[in-house]
Amino acid sequence: MSSSHDARVLVAVSSNTPSGFGADVVDAIESSLDATVLHKRGAVATEFLRELGPTLDCVVVISCRSDCVENLASAAGEVPLLVYGDEVPSVPVDEVIAGDGGTDLLARRVSERIERERERNALEEANAKLSALNTYTEELTGCQSVDEVSDTVVSAVTGALGHGRCVLALRKDDEFYPYGHTFDGELNVRLHIDEGVVGRTFRTGETQIVDDYDSDPDQARDIPQVRSIVSVPVGDVAVLQVTTDRRAAFDRRDAEFIEIIGSHAAEALARLQREADLRVERDRLHYFFDGIESPAVYVESTDGDEPVLTEVNTAYEALFGSEDIERPVSVAFPTDTERELFGSDGPDEVTHCELTRETADGPVDLTVGVVPIPLSGIETAAFGLYAANAEFP
């Protein structure tokens, strides 16, 4: 299908031309472009163009009167203006098509001009949407909760892309439920992963563009306000859908923009899940930390600076005291060995070393084992365990 399909073209003639003048041009453009052609005369054509120019794709002037062309050119703005005739007008126009080429040539030139203009407009629109999306994708990288991710996704769809209806459906076990959406009221709908367009999107892992939901084989329920759908997988945890009540409203370009949001949302949700898993693991380690009888410490750096002695257990406090808590590693530990093990450049894997520490009862020979802990957003995190007369694997 030509990109000039459904175009709106104004054919303008001067007021003193015969009433039927230009009818053949109207017929040629209508039949060749399947376009809506408006036929206006004189000042009416100029006023129409001035008021409704943004609704037009092209203007064809078939009058050689210089004042007619001048008036239309001043009112055209960014709408392409073509002159059909044998004389070159005195004012700049987009193109002059000689009359001896016939109306078929004119229709082709109009179609080409509209296609070029629509391609240019589409590129400008795409660039504008990408620029607008940058703000939201940056926000997604910093979201600290699923609620923030959902709100940012919905804002990106409605704000950057200009779509009014969307829903982010999250998966829980074998069902999807609407977590964030722009529909009126509550959406208390749950669909199995084998149901609906959302289920098909999840199972295939591919974007679905639905032109007519009423005839879709996976229609799960009758929704009067939904005719077209773009359904995008968000990792394996969610599906993002944008809908409208117009048939065949979305194309591949629309889907690509929504996929950009979906991919960043998937990364953000995956990061939050990793952080949640790490917190669980960290809590388990702290539980172990609190329960052991040997001296133990925990060091951490959250801002890229030198790690700090954040926590000690009861056994460490009894042997060495607790006055060094919340102090940097270089100050909190008396030996070079400990400062090196617990510092920013400490080991990336479980390591143990021999050292001697002073206590109230005199020097004690110890073996210290260090367990680095990978945590999102934290430069350095590690547990240390002290033991006397012990061998570490």
PDB file of all heavy atoms in Angstrom, residues 8-34:
ATOM      1  N   ARG A   8      -4.939  13.802   2.149  1.00  0.00           N
ATOM      2  CA  ARG A   8      -5.878  14.905   1.896  1.00  0.00           C
ATOM      3  C   ARG A   8      -5.163  15.935   1.047  1.00  0.00           C
ATOM      4  O   ARG A   8      -4.118  16.463   1.437  1.00  0.00           O
ATOM      5  CB  ARG A   8      -6.345  15.522   3.215  1.00  0.00           C
ATOM      6  CG  ARG A   8      -7.354  14.664   3.967  1.00  0.00           C
ATOM      7  CD  ARG A   8      -7.587  15.184   5.375  1.00  0.00           C
ATOM      8  NE  ARG A   8      -7.994  16.568   5.396  1.00  0.00           N
ATOM      9  CZ  ARG A   8      -9.258  16.998   5.261  1.00  0.00           C
ATOM     10  NH1 ARG A   8     -10.228  16.112   5.087  1.00  0.00           N
ATOM     11  NH2 ARG A   8      -9.558  18.282   5.330  1.00  0.00           N
ATOM     12  N   VAL A   9      -5.729  16.209  -0.137  1.00  0.00           N
ATOM     13  CA  VAL A   9      -5.106  17.105  -1.102  1.00  0.00           C
ATOM     14  C   VAL A   9      -6.081  18.233  -1.425  1.00  0.00           C
ATOM     15  O   VAL A   9      -7.271  17.986  -1.673  1.00  0.00           O
ATOM     16  CB  VAL A   9      -4.726  16.363  -2.396  1.00  0.00           C
ATOM     17  CG1 VAL A   9      -4.098  17.327  -3.407  1.00  0.00           C
ATOM     18  CG2 VAL A   9      -3.775  15.204  -2.087  1.00  0.00           C
ATOM     19  N   LEU A  10      -5.569  19.450  -1.410  1.00  0.00           N
ATOM     20  CA  LEU A  10      -6.358  20.606  -1.814  1.00  0.00           C
ATOM     21  C   LEU A  10      -5.996  20.996  -3.242  1.00  0.00           C
ATOM     22  O   LEU A  10      -4.826  21.249  -3.539  1.00  0.00           O
ATOM     23  CB  LEU A  10      -6.095  21.787  -0.880  1.00  0.00           C
ATOM     24  CG  LEU A  10      -6.730  23.125  -1.291  1.00  0.00           C
ATOM     25  CD1 LEU A  10      -8.259  23.031  -1.291  1.00  0.00           C
ATOM     26  CD2 LEU A  10      -6.249  24.255  -0.387  1.00  0.00           C
ATOM     27  N   VAL A  11      -6.985  21.031  -4.146  1.00  0.00           N
ATOM     28  CA  VAL A  11      -6.801  21.533  -5.504  1.00  0.00           C
ATOM     29  C   VAL A  11      -7.385  22.934  -5.540  1.00  0.00           C
ATOM     30  O   VAL A  11      -8.597  23.124  -5.312  1.00  0.00           O
ATOM     31  CB  VAL A  11      -7.477  20.628  -6.541  1.00  0.00           C
ATOM     32  CG1 VAL A  11      -7.382  21.249  -7.921  1.00  0.00           C
ATOM     33  CG2 VAL A  11      -6.837  19.243  -6.539  1.00  0.00           C
ATOM     34  N   ALA A  12      -6.536  23.923  -5.785  1.00  0.00           N
ATOM     35  CA  ALA A  12      -6.954  25.320  -5.737  1.00  0.00           C
ATOM     36  C   ALA A  12      -6.873  25.969  -7.120  1.00  0.00           C
ATOM     37  O   ALA A  12      -5.907  25.757  -7.861  1.00  0.00           O
ATOM     38  CB  ALA A  12      -6.072  26.088  -4.754  1.00  0.00           C
ATOM     39  N   VAL A  13      -7.902  26.759  -7.463  1.00  0.00           N
ATOM     40  CA  VAL A  13      -7.919  27.516  -8.728  1.00  0.00           C
ATOM     41  C   VAL A  13      -8.321  28.946  -8.411  1.00  0.00           C
ATOM     42  O   VAL A  13      -8.908  29.226  -7.355  1.00  0.00           O
ATOM     43  CB  VAL A  13      -8.895  26.893  -9.750  1.00  0.00           C
ATOM     44  CG1 VAL A  13      -8.473  25.487 -10.125  1.00  0.00           C
ATOM     45  CG2 VAL A  13     -10.319  26.891  -9.194  1.00  0.00           C
ATOM     46  N   SER A  14      -8.010  29.840  -9.290  1.00  0.00           N
ATOM     47  CA  SER A  14      -8.373  31.241  -9.072  1.00  0.00           C
ATOM     48  C   SER A  14      -9.874  31.426  -9.258  1.00  0.00           C
ATOM     49  O   SER A  14     -10.554  30.625  -9.910  1.00  0.00           O
ATOM     50  CB  SER A  14      -7.609  32.144 -10.041  1.00  0.00           C
ATOM     51  OG  SER A  14      -7.874  31.768 -11.385  1.00  0.00           O
ATOM     52  N   SER A  15     -10.405  32.515  -8.704  1.00  0.00           N
ATOM     53  CA  SER A  15     -11.850  32.741  -8.684  1.00  0.00           C
ATOM     54  C   SER A  15     -12.438  33.029 -10.052  1.00  0.00           C
ATOM     55  O   SER A  15     -13.633  32.836 -10.267  1.00  0.00           O
ATOM     56  CB  SER A  15     -12.180  33.882  -7.723  1.00  0.00           C
ATOM     57  OG  SER A  15     -11.483  35.062  -8.096  1.00  0.00           O
ATOM     58  N   ASN A  16     -11.632  33.495 -10.993  1.00  0.00           N
ATOM     59  CA  ASN A  16     -12.180  33.871 -12.302  1.00  0.00           C
ATOM     60  C   ASN A  16     -12.041  32.770 -13.347  1.00  0.00           C
ATOM     61  O   ASN A  16     -12.245  33.011 -14.535  1.00  0.00           O
ATOM     62  CB  ASN A  16     -11.501  35.143 -12.805  1.00  0.00           C
ATOM     63  CG  ASN A  16     -10.001  34.967 -12.987  1.00  0.00           C
ATOM     64  OD1 ASN A  16      -9.439  33.993 -12.521  1.00  0.00           O
ATOM     65  ND2 ASN A  16      -9.369  35.926 -13.670  1.00  0.00           N
ATOM     66  N   THR A  17     -11.681  31.564 -12.935  1.00  0.00           N
ATOM     67  CA  THR A  17     -11.577  30.455 -13.886  1.00  0.00           C
ATOM     68  C   THR A  17     -12.948  29.791 -14.030  1.00  0.00           C
ATOM     69  O   THR A  17     -13.794  29.904 -13.139  1.00  0.00           O
ATOM     70  CB  THR A  17     -10.557  29.410 -13.402  1.00  0.00           C
ATOM     71  OG1 THR A  17     -10.924  28.987 -12.090  1.00  0.00           O
ATOM     72  CG2 THR A  17      -9.156  29.989 -13.374  1.00  0.00           C
ATOM     73  N   PRO A  18     -13.187  29.097 -15.122  1.00  0.00           N
ATOM     74  CA  PRO A  18     -14.472  28.413 -15.324  1.00  0.00           C
ATOM     75  C   PRO A  18     -14.751  27.444 -14.180  1.00  0.00           C
ATOM     76  O   PRO A  18     -13.839  26.872 -13.576  1.00  0.00           O
ATOM     77  CB  PRO A  18     -14.278  27.674 -16.643  1.00  0.00           C
ATOM     78  CG  PRO A  18     -13.231  28.459 -17.355  1.00  0.00           C
ATOM     79  CD  PRO A  18     -12.311  28.969 -16.300  1.00  0.00           C
ATOM     80  N   SER A  19     -16.020  27.242 -13.852  1.00  0.00           N
ATOM     81  CA  SER A  19     -16.414  26.446 -12.696  1.00  0.00           C
ATOM     82  C   SER A  19     -15.933  25.005 -12.777  1.00  0.00           C
ATOM     83  O   SER A  19     -15.665  24.377 -11.768  1.00  0.00           O
ATOM     84  CB  SER A  19     -17.944  26.468 -12.525  1.00  0.00           C
ATOM     85  OG  SER A  19     -18.575  25.968 -13.700  1.00  0.00           O
ATOM     86  N   GLY A  20     -15.848  24.449 -13.975  1.00  0.00           N
ATOM     87  CA  GLY A  20     -15.424  23.056 -14.107  1.00  0.00           C
ATOM     88  C   GLY A  20     -13.934  22.881 -14.245  1.00  0.00           C
ATOM     89  O   GLY A  20     -13.441  21.745 -14.347  1.00  0.00           O
ATOM     90  N   PHE A  21     -13.198  23.993 -14.232  1.00  0.00           N
ATOM     91  CA  PHE A  21     -11.758  23.921 -14.434  1.00  0.00           C
ATOM     92  C   PHE A  21     -11.104  23.205 -13.250  1.00  0.00           C
ATOM     93  O   PHE A  21     -11.343  23.526 -12.094  1.00  0.00           O
ATOM     94  CB  PHE A  21     -11.191  25.334 -14.562  1.00  0.00           C
ATOM     95  CG  PHE A  21      -9.765  25.371 -15.033  1.00  0.00           C
ATOM     96  CD1 PHE A  21      -9.419  24.915 -16.295  1.00  0.00           C
ATOM     97  CD2 PHE A  21      -8.753  25.861 -14.211  1.00  0.00           C
ATOM     98  CE1 PHE A  21      -8.113  24.958 -16.734  1.00  0.00           C
ATOM     99  CE2 PHE A  21      -7.448  25.906 -14.644  1.00  0.00           C
ATOM    100  CZ  PHE A  21      -7.128  25.448 -15.920  1.00  0.00           C
ATOM    101  N   GLY A  22     -10.308  22.211 -13.533  1.00  0.00           N
ATOM    102  CA  GLY A  22      -9.626  21.448 -12.500  1.00  0.00           C
ATOM    103  C   GLY A  22     -10.306  20.154 -12.142  1.00  0.00           C
ATOM    104  O   GLY A  22      -9.773  19.370 -11.363  1.00  0.00           O
ATOM    105  N   ALA A  23     -11.493  19.897 -12.714  1.00  0.00           N
ATOM    106  CA  ALA A  23     -12.208  18.665 -12.387  1.00  0.00           C
ATOM    107  C   ALA A  23     -11.416  17.430 -12.796  1.00  0.00           C
ATOM    108  O   ALA A  23     -11.433  16.409 -12.099  1.00  0.00           O
ATOM    109  CB  ALA A  23     -13.575  18.658 -13.056  1.00  0.00           C
ATOM    110  N   ASP A  24     -10.714  17.502 -13.951  1.00  0.00           N
ATOM    111  CA  ASP A  24      -9.926  16.352 -14.384  1.00  0.00           C
ATOM    112  C   ASP A  24      -8.755  16.077 -13.441  1.00  0.00           C
ATOM    113  O   ASP A  24      -8.364  14.931 -13.214  1.00  0.00           O
ATOM    114  CB  ASP A  24      -9.413  16.577 -15.816  1.00  0.00           C
ATOM    115  CG  ASP A  24      -8.582  17.854 -15.943  1.00  0.00           C
ATOM    116  OD1 ASP A  24      -8.749  18.744 -15.075  1.00  0.00           O
ATOM    117  OD2 ASP A  24      -7.784  17.952 -16.885  1.00  0.00           O
ATOM    118  N   VAL A  25      -8.205  17.154 -12.866  1.00  0.00           N
ATOM    119  CA  VAL A  25      -7.118  16.985 -11.901  1.00  0.00           C
ATOM    120  C   VAL A  25      -7.640  16.295 -10.639  1.00  0.00           C
ATOM    121  O   VAL A  25      -7.007  15.379 -10.099  1.00  0.00           O
ATOM    122  CB  VAL A  25      -6.486  18.346 -11.540  1.00  0.00           C
ATOM    123  CG1 VAL A  25      -5.491  18.188 -10.379  1.00  0.00           C
ATOM    124  CG2 VAL A  25      -5.810  18.955 -12.753  1.00  0.00           C
ATOM    125  N   VAL A  26      -8.804  16.725 -10.175  1.00  0.00           N
ATOM    126  CA  VAL A  26      -9.407  16.103  -8.995  1.00  0.00           C
ATOM    127  C   VAL A  26      -9.635  14.619  -9.239  1.00  0.00           C
ATOM    128  O   VAL A  26      -9.293  13.775  -8.404  1.00  0.00           O
ATOM    129  CB  VAL A  26     -10.733  16.803  -8.642  1.00  0.00           C
ATOM    130  CG1 VAL A  26     -11.462  16.043  -7.529  1.00  0.00           C
ATOM    131  CG2 VAL A  26     -10.485  18.247  -8.218  1.00  0.00           C
ATOM    132  N   ASP A  27     -10.214  14.281 -10.390  1.00  0.00           N
ATOM    133  CA  ASP A  27     -10.483  12.873 -10.708  1.00  0.00           C
ATOM    134  C   ASP A  27      -9.198  12.053 -10.760  1.00  0.00           C
ATOM    135  O   ASP A  27      -9.146  10.919 -10.260  1.00  0.00           O
ATOM    136  CB  ASP A  27     -11.221  12.772 -12.048  1.00  0.00           C
ATOM    137  CG  ASP A  27     -12.640  13.320 -11.974  1.00  0.00           C
ATOM    138  OD1 ASP A  27     -13.160  13.436 -10.850  1.00  0.00           O
ATOM    139  OD2 ASP A  27     -13.204  13.657 -13.039  1.00  0.00           O
ATOM    140  N   ALA A  28      -8.155  12.615 -11.378  1.00  0.00           N
ATOM    141  CA  ALA A  28      -6.894  11.876 -11.525  1.00  0.00           C
ATOM    142  C   ALA A  28      -6.246  11.589 -10.173  1.00  0.00           C
ATOM    143  O   ALA A  28      -5.760  10.481  -9.913  1.00  0.00           O
ATOM    144  CB  ALA A  28      -5.932  12.671 -12.422  1.00  0.00           C
ATOM    145  N   ILE A  29      -6.246  12.585  -9.294  1.00  0.00           N
ATOM    146  CA  ILE A  29      -5.617  12.394  -7.977  1.00  0.00           C
ATOM    147  C   ILE A  29      -6.431  11.426  -7.136  1.00  0.00           C
ATOM    148  O   ILE A  29      -5.879  10.542  -6.464  1.00  0.00           O
ATOM    149  CB  ILE A  29      -5.451  13.752  -7.266  1.00  0.00           C
ATOM    150  CG1 ILE A  29      -4.479  14.633  -8.050  1.00  0.00           C
ATOM    151  CG2 ILE A  29      -4.955  13.550  -5.831  1.00  0.00           C
ATOM    152  CD1 ILE A  29      -4.335  16.033  -7.490  1.00  0.00           C
ATOM    153  N   GLU A  30      -7.748  11.563  -7.176  1.00  0.00           N
ATOM    154  CA  GLU A  30      -8.599  10.666  -6.388  1.00  0.00           C
ATOM    155  C   GLU A  30      -8.439   9.216  -6.812  1.00  0.00           C
ATOM    156  O   GLU A  30      -8.337   8.310  -5.970  1.00  0.00           O
ATOM    157  CB  GLU A  30     -10.062  11.077  -6.517  1.00  0.00           C
ATOM    158  CG  GLU A  30     -10.438  12.291  -5.692  1.00  0.00           C
ATOM    159  CD  GLU A  30     -11.912  12.620  -5.804  1.00  0.00           C
ATOM    160  OE1 GLU A  30     -12.510  12.290  -6.857  1.00  0.00           O
ATOM    161  OE2 GLU A  30     -12.462  13.206  -4.862  1.00  0.00           O
ATOM    162  N   SER A  31      -8.393   8.972  -8.105  1.00  0.00           N
ATOM    163  CA  SER A  31      -8.310   7.597  -8.593  1.00  0.00           C
ATOM    164  C   SER A  31      -6.918   7.006  -8.412  1.00  0.00           C
ATOM    165  O   SER A  31      -6.769   5.801  -8.185  1.00  0.00           O
ATOM    166  CB  SER A  31      -8.714   7.541 -10.077  1.00  0.00           C
ATOM    167  OG  SER A  31      -7.849   8.360 -10.867  1.00  0.00           O
ATOM    168  N   SER A  32      -5.884   7.827  -8.515  1.00  0.00           N
ATOM    169  CA  SER A  32      -4.513   7.322  -8.428  1.00  0.00           C
ATOM    170  C   SER A  32      -4.050   7.144  -6.977  1.00  0.00           C
ATOM    171  O   SER A  32      -3.318   6.205  -6.664  1.00  0.00           O
ATOM    172  CB  SER A  32      -3.539   8.264  -9.145  1.00  0.00           C
ATOM    173  OG  SER A  32      -3.841   8.348 -10.514  1.00  0.00           O
ATOM    174  N   LEU A  33      -4.482   8.018  -6.087  1.00  0.00           N
ATOM    175  CA  LEU A  33      -3.960   8.013  -4.717  1.00  0.00           C
ATOM    176  C   LEU A  33      -4.954   7.460  -3.710  1.00  0.00           C
ATOM    177  O   LEU A  33      -4.613   7.267  -2.555  1.00  0.00           O
ATOM    178  CB  LEU A  33      -3.585   9.434  -4.278  1.00  0.00           C
ATOM    179  CG  LEU A  33      -2.200   9.952  -4.661  1.00  0.00           C
ATOM    180  CD1 LEU A  33      -2.065  10.098  -6.170  1.00  0.00           C
ATOM    181  CD2 LEU A  33      -1.937  11.274  -3.978  1.00  0.00           C
ATOM    182  N   ASP A  34      -6.179   7.229  -4.126  1.00  0.00           N
ATOM    183  CA  ASP A  34      -7.225   6.874  -3.165  1.00  0.00           C
ATOM    184  C   ASP A  34      -7.256   7.919  -2.062  1.00  0.00           C
ATOM    185  O   ASP A  34      -7.321   7.616  -0.864  1.00  0.00           O
ATOM    186  CB  ASP A  34      -6.969   5.479  -2.573  1.00  0.00           C
ATOM    187  CG  ASP A  34      -8.159   4.973  -1.767  1.00  0.00           C
ATOM    188  OD1 ASP A  34      -9.271   5.498  -1.975  1.00  0.00           O
ATOM    189  OD2 ASP A  34      -7.968   4.085  -0.918  1.00  0.00           O
TER     190      ASP A  34
END
